PDB file of all heavy atoms in Angstrom:
ATOM      1  N   LEU W 131     -36.369  19.562  46.962  1.00 97.00           N
ATOM      2  CA  LEU W 131     -35.849  18.929  45.740  1.00 97.00           C
ATOM      3  C   LEU W 131     -34.600  19.661  45.252  1.00 97.00           C
ATOM      4  O   LEU W 131     -33.599  19.047  44.883  1.00 97.00           O
ATOM      5  CB  LEU W 131     -36.910  18.933  44.636  1.00 97.00           C
ATOM      6  CG  LEU W 131     -38.086  17.967  44.813  1.00 97.00           C
ATOM      7  CD1 LEU W 131     -39.123  18.188  43.733  1.00 97.00           C
ATOM      8  CD2 LEU W 131     -37.604  16.522  44.779  1.00 97.00           C
ATOM      9  N   CYS W 132     -34.672  21.001  45.282  1.00 97.00           N
ATOM     10  CA  CYS W 132     -33.543  21.821  44.839  1.00 97.00           C
ATOM     11  C   CYS W 132     -32.308  21.516  45.661  1.00 97.00           C
ATOM     12  O   CYS W 132     -31.212  21.370  45.131  1.00 97.00           O
ATOM     13  CB  CYS W 132     -33.868  23.305  45.004  1.00 97.00           C
ATOM     14  SG  CYS W 132     -34.455  24.055  43.502  1.00 97.00           S
ATOM     15  N   LYS W 133     -32.511  21.437  46.979  1.00 97.00           N
ATOM     16  CA  LYS W 133     -31.381  21.181  47.878  1.00 97.00           C
ATOM     17  C   LYS W 133     -30.706  19.872  47.475  1.00 97.00           C
ATOM     18  O   LYS W 133     -29.479  19.798  47.336  1.00 97.00           O
ATOM     19  CB  LYS W 133     -31.898  21.090  49.317  1.00 97.00           C
ATOM     20  CG  LYS W 133     -31.064  21.945  50.286  1.00 97.00           C
ATOM     21  CD  LYS W 133     -31.488  21.686  51.719  1.00 97.00           C
ATOM     22  CE  LYS W 133     -32.442  22.746  52.240  1.00 97.00           C
ATOM     23  NZ  LYS W 133     -33.014  22.406  53.548  1.00 97.00           N
ATOM     24  N   GLY W 134     -31.528  18.833  47.296  1.00 97.00           N
ATOM     25  CA  GLY W 134     -30.986  17.529  46.900  1.00 97.00           C
ATOM     26  C   GLY W 134     -30.265  17.601  45.569  1.00 97.00           C
ATOM     27  O   GLY W 134     -29.159  17.067  45.414  1.00 97.00           O
ATOM     28  N   GLU W 135     -30.902  18.289  44.615  1.00 97.00           N
ATOM     29  CA  GLU W 135     -30.301  18.359  43.274  1.00 97.00           C
ATOM     30  C   GLU W 135     -29.007  19.167  43.289  1.00 97.00           C
ATOM     31  O   GLU W 135     -28.078  18.860  42.551  1.00 97.00           O
ATOM     32  CB  GLU W 135     -31.299  18.972  42.288  1.00 97.00           C
ATOM     33  CG  GLU W 135     -32.378  17.979  41.900  1.00 97.00           C
ATOM     34  CD  GLU W 135     -33.334  18.519  40.850  1.00 97.00           C
ATOM     35  OE1 GLU W 135     -32.991  19.475  40.146  1.00 97.00           O
ATOM     36  OE2 GLU W 135     -34.448  17.965  40.758  1.00 97.00           O
ATOM     37  N   LYS W 136     -28.965  20.210  44.137  1.00 97.00           N
ATOM     38  CA  LYS W 136     -27.736  21.015  44.203  1.00 97.00           C
ATOM     39  C   LYS W 136     -26.579  20.189  44.747  1.00 97.00           C
ATOM     40  O   LYS W 136     -25.444  20.335  44.301  1.00 97.00           O
ATOM     41  CB  LYS W 136     -27.965  22.248  45.084  1.00 97.00           C
ATOM     42  CG  LYS W 136     -28.609  23.380  44.324  1.00 97.00           C
ATOM     43  CD  LYS W 136     -28.796  24.594  45.208  1.00 97.00           C
ATOM     44  CE  LYS W 136     -29.542  25.678  44.440  1.00 97.00           C
ATOM     45  NZ  LYS W 136     -30.028  26.729  45.331  1.00 97.00           N
ATOM     46  N   LYS W 137     -26.907  19.323  45.707  1.00 97.00           N
ATOM     47  CA  LYS W 137     -25.867  18.462  46.268  1.00 97.00           C
ATOM     48  C   LYS W 137     -25.357  17.508  45.175  1.00 97.00           C
ATOM     49  O   LYS W 137     -24.152  17.339  44.997  1.00 97.00           O
ATOM     50  CB  LYS W 137     -26.446  17.670  47.443  1.00 97.00           C
ATOM     51  CG  LYS W 137     -25.363  17.206  48.396  1.00 97.00           C
ATOM     52  CD  LYS W 137     -25.956  16.459  49.579  1.00 97.00           C
ATOM     53  CE  LYS W 137     -24.858  15.719  50.341  1.00 97.00           C
ATOM     54  NZ  LYS W 137     -24.116  14.781  49.500  1.00 97.00           N
ATOM     55  N   LEU W 138     -26.311  16.901  44.460  1.00 96.00           N
ATOM     56  CA  LEU W 138     -25.926  16.013  43.360  1.00 96.00           C
ATOM     57  C   LEU W 138     -25.100  16.763  42.315  1.00 96.00           C
ATOM     58  O   LEU W 138     -24.133  16.231  41.772  1.00 96.00           O
ATOM     59  CB  LEU W 138     -27.173  15.420  42.694  1.00 96.00           C
ATOM     60  CG  LEU W 138     -27.944  14.368  43.498  1.00 96.00           C
ATOM     61  CD1 LEU W 138     -29.192  13.943  42.738  1.00 96.00           C
ATOM     62  CD2 LEU W 138     -27.080  13.150  43.785  1.00 96.00           C
ATOM     63  N   LEU W 139     -25.509  18.008  42.066  1.00 97.00           N
ATOM     64  CA  LEU W 139     -24.798  18.808  41.058  1.00 97.00           C
ATOM     65  C   LEU W 139     -23.341  19.050  41.476  1.00 97.00           C
ATOM     66  O   LEU W 139     -22.422  18.894  40.663  1.00 97.00           O
ATOM     67  CB  LEU W 139     -25.516  20.147  40.849  1.00 97.00           C
ATOM     68  CG  LEU W 139     -24.828  21.130  39.903  1.00 97.00           C
ATOM     69  CD1 LEU W 139     -24.819  20.595  38.481  1.00 97.00           C
ATOM     70  CD2 LEU W 139     -25.513  22.487  39.917  1.00 97.00           C
ATOM     71  N   THR W 140     -23.158  19.411  42.755  1.00 97.00           N
ATOM     72  CA  THR W 140     -21.792  19.642  43.242  1.00 97.00           C
ATOM     73  C   THR W 140     -20.935  18.398  43.019  1.00 97.00           C
ATOM     74  O   THR W 140     -19.799  18.491  42.532  1.00 97.00           O
ATOM     75  CB  THR W 140     -21.813  19.979  44.752  1.00 97.00           C
ATOM     76  OG1 THR W 140     -22.826  20.942  44.972  1.00 97.00           O
ATOM     77  CG2 THR W 140     -20.489  20.528  45.215  1.00 97.00           C
ATOM     78  N   ASP W 141     -21.504  17.227  43.386  1.00 96.00           N
ATOM     79  CA  ASP W 141     -20.761  15.974  43.173  1.00 96.00           C
ATOM     80  C   ASP W 141     -20.472  15.762  41.696  1.00 96.00           C
ATOM     81  O   ASP W 141     -19.360  15.382  41.314  1.00 96.00           O
ATOM     82  CB  ASP W 141     -21.563  14.776  43.713  1.00 96.00           C
ATOM     83  CG  ASP W 141     -21.725  14.850  45.222  1.00 96.00           C
ATOM     84  OD1 ASP W 141     -20.997  15.641  45.850  1.00 96.00           O
ATOM     85  OD2 ASP W 141     -22.584  14.125  45.767  1.00 96.00           O
ATOM     86  N   ALA W 142     -21.511  16.000  40.880  1.00 94.00           N
ATOM     87  CA  ALA W 142     -21.364  15.753  39.439  1.00 94.00           C
ATOM     88  C   ALA W 142     -20.309  16.674  38.828  1.00 94.00           C
ATOM     89  O   ALA W 142     -19.504  16.238  37.999  1.00 94.00           O
ATOM     90  CB  ALA W 142     -22.701  15.941  38.729  1.00 94.00           C
ATOM     91  N   VAL W 143     -20.314  17.948  39.259  1.00 95.00           N
ATOM     92  CA  VAL W 143     -19.333  18.902  38.715  1.00 95.00           C
ATOM     93  C   VAL W 143     -17.913  18.416  39.023  1.00 95.00           C
ATOM     94  O   VAL W 143     -17.042  18.425  38.156  1.00 95.00           O
ATOM     95  CB  VAL W 143     -19.570  20.319  39.295  1.00 95.00           C
ATOM     96  CG1 VAL W 143     -18.390  21.231  39.012  1.00 95.00           C
ATOM     97  CG2 VAL W 143     -20.836  20.917  38.681  1.00 95.00           C
ATOM     98  N   LYS W 144     -17.724  17.956  40.267  1.00 96.00           N
ATOM     99  CA  LYS W 144     -16.390  17.453  40.645  1.00 96.00           C
ATOM    100  C   LYS W 144     -16.007  16.266  39.776  1.00 96.00           C
ATOM    101  O   LYS W 144     -14.898  16.189  39.250  1.00 96.00           O
ATOM    102  CB  LYS W 144     -16.407  17.027  42.120  1.00 96.00           C
ATOM    103  CG  LYS W 144     -15.855  18.122  43.033  1.00 96.00           C
ATOM    104  CD  LYS W 144     -15.708  17.595  44.451  1.00 96.00           C
ATOM    105  CE  LYS W 144     -16.252  18.599  45.448  1.00 96.00           C
ATOM    106  NZ  LYS W 144     -16.768  17.976  46.663  1.00 96.00           N
ATOM    107  N   LYS W 145     -16.951  15.316  39.662  1.00 94.00           N
ATOM    108  CA  LYS W 145     -16.683  14.105  38.868  1.00 94.00           C
ATOM    109  C   LYS W 145     -16.343  14.471  37.434  1.00 94.00           C
ATOM    110  O   LYS W 145     -15.406  13.929  36.844  1.00 94.00           O
ATOM    111  CB  LYS W 145     -17.921  13.189  38.881  1.00 94.00           C
ATOM    112  CG  LYS W 145     -17.809  12.062  39.892  1.00 94.00           C
ATOM    113  CD  LYS W 145     -18.921  11.061  39.638  1.00 94.00           C
ATOM    114  CE  LYS W 145     -19.334  10.383  40.932  1.00 94.00           C
ATOM    115  NZ  LYS W 145     -20.676   9.810  40.852  1.00 94.00           N
ATOM    116  N   VAL W 146     -17.158  15.369  36.868  1.00 93.00           N
ATOM    117  CA  VAL W 146     -16.938  15.748  35.468  1.00 93.00           C
ATOM    118  C   VAL W 146     -15.587  16.445  35.305  1.00 93.00           C
ATOM    119  O   VAL W 146     -14.849  16.171  34.360  1.00 93.00           O
ATOM    120  CB  VAL W 146     -18.095  16.645  34.959  1.00 93.00           C
ATOM    121  CG1 VAL W 146     -17.747  17.298  33.638  1.00 93.00           C
ATOM    122  CG2 VAL W 146     -19.370  15.811  34.802  1.00 93.00           C
TER     123      VAL W 146
END
Side-chain angles (χ1 to χ4, degrees):
L131 288 174
C132 263
K133 228 188 261 172
E135 284 184 20
K136 276 181 184 166
K137 203 178 167 302
L138 288 177
L139 176 66
T140 314
D141 295 345
V143 167
K144 263 188 225 151
K145 261 192 210 159
V146 167

